[in-house]
Amino acid sequence: MLRTQFEEELLNLHNQFYEMGMLVSSAIHKSVRAYVRHDKAIAQEVIENDLAINNMEVRLEKKSFEMIALQQPVTTDLRMIITVMKASSDLERMGDHAVSIAKSTIRVKGETRIAEIEKEISDMSDYVKKMVDNVLVAYVKTDQEDARMIAQMDDRVNEYYKDIYYKTIESMKENPETVVSGTDYLSVAQYLERIGDYVTNICEWIVYLATGKISELNTNRTEMI
């Protein structure tokens, strides 16, 4: 394969990863919007569109292996292919969490809801989506400084989760009728918190792409008892 053709395939890989990232960002936004608005039509759309995300991840992985096997790339080229392969797996898992949130929308029927907590879940979702969008830009620019800053944003995601966790537990104690919806709030908040962790993983791959070094960013992962 000519170098120009290889560079074109590398660019296509790069662009397809970004496209997959935008699909995931949209899925996260739509899933929480569906959940807060109790909109089962949007939730179903998220679930159905997940197949496209899964297929993109499979195509990216297959193409990555193919390029490594046939071209035996080195240095920056190899790092880009490895980054796409690893980070696309993180994106696929983020899409799975968006589907889980969408399924929560369909599962809850006429349960007592808590507007204050749903508002906080919505705010948490907006913040997480901002992280996702920012990390995609950092990837395009191979900007390790931005990647490091985005990883630090995960601290705020963990704060959102803790706040929602304790408010939900208190609400369930005060009003047993909120137990079903409250359990769902805890799940949705945890899905969003996990998405923040996957964004941090992608930040680590961006640093690897820029420097060739594996770095662990922001190890303050949330564990609730």
Side-chain angles (χ1 to χ4, degrees):
M1 186 187 295
L2 296 173
R3 175 67 195 180
T4 51
Q5 187 180 345
F6 176 73
E7 288 177 350
E8 185 178 329
E9 291 198 357
L10 208 55
L11 180 62
N12 286 338
L13 200 70
H14 184 76
N15 290 339
Q16 286 173 34
F17 174 81
Y18 183 80
E19 183 183 344
M20 181 183 177
M22 294 305 292
L23 285 177
V24 170
S25 174
S26 176
I28 294 165
H29 177 68
K30 284 182 178 179
S31 65
V32 177
R33 187 175 68 183
Y35 184 77
V36 172
R37 296 181 182 178
H38 318 161
D39 191 326
K40 294 184 180 179
I42 296 177
Q44 191 61 44
E45 182 185 331
V46 172
I47 294 167
E48 290 171 1
N49 289 347
D50 188 55
L51 181 61
I53 292 172
N54 293 343
N55 288 340
M56 287 189 81
E57 196 257 341
V58 170
R59 286 199 305 271
L60 283 168
E61 184 178 70
K62 183 179 178 182
K63 188 62 180 177
S64 297
F65 279 125
E66 182 183 299
M67 291 176 74
I68 290 171
L70 297 179
Q71 296 304 309
Q72 298 181 351
V74 295
T75 61
T76 305
D77 292 341
L78 180 60
R79 292 207 301 267
M80 178 176 283
I81 294 170
I82 290 172
T83 297
V84 168
M85 192 163 53
K86 294 292 189 177
S88 62
S89 177
D90 289 323
L91 284 179
E92 191 273 333
R93 291 187 184 102
M94 289 157 66
D96 287 345
H97 287 317
V99 167
S100 294
I101 295 171
K103 286 179 177 177
S104 293
T105 302
I106 294 171
R107 189 167 57 244
V108 176
K109 296 180 180 178
E111 300 295 341
T112 303
R113 312 291 285 254
I114 309 166
E116 177 192 359
I117 294 175
E118 291 193 358
K119 171 66 168 62
E120 191 152 8
I121 287 172
S122 180
D123 291 345
M124 182 182 184
S125 164
D126 289 343
Y127 190 84
V128 168
K129 184 181 182 298
K130 182 180 177 182
M131 285 181 69
V132 175
D133 293 342
N134 287 354
V135 84
L136 292 174
V137 173
Y139 167 78
V140 168
K141 297 191 300 181
T142 318
D143 192 328
Q144 63 159 318
E145 294 306 319
D146 275 2
R148 292 178 187 277
M149 285 191 289
I150 294 162
Q152 292 304 313
M153 291 174 69
D154 193 45
D155 288 340
R156 180 72 184 100
V157 175
N158 294 339
E159 289 172 12
Y160 269 119
Y161 176 62
K162 289 176 183 176
D163 199 38
I164 291 167
Y165 179 89
Y166 289 116
K167 284 180 179 176
T168 301
I169 295 298
E170 284 304 309
S171 294
M172 290 193 289
K173 286 178 180 176
E174 292 172 9
N175 182 1
E177 291 184 1
T178 65
V179 167
V180 174
S181 57
T183 302
D184 246 14
Y185 294 151
L186 296 177
S187 295
V188 171
Q190 188 168 52
Y191 295 139
L192 289 170
E193 189 271 333
R194 292 291 180 244
I195 290 171
D197 289 343
Y198 286 123
V199 172
T200 300
N201 288 352
I202 295 175
C203 289
E204 292 171 357
W205 286 115
I206 292 169
V207 172
Y208 166 74
L209 178 57
T211 67
K213 297 177 182 177
I214 302 288
S215 304
E216 191 167 359
L217 306 178
N218 196 9
T219 55
N220 298 322
R221 303 295 165 96
T222 301
E223 296 294 338
M224 303 301 294
I225 298 173

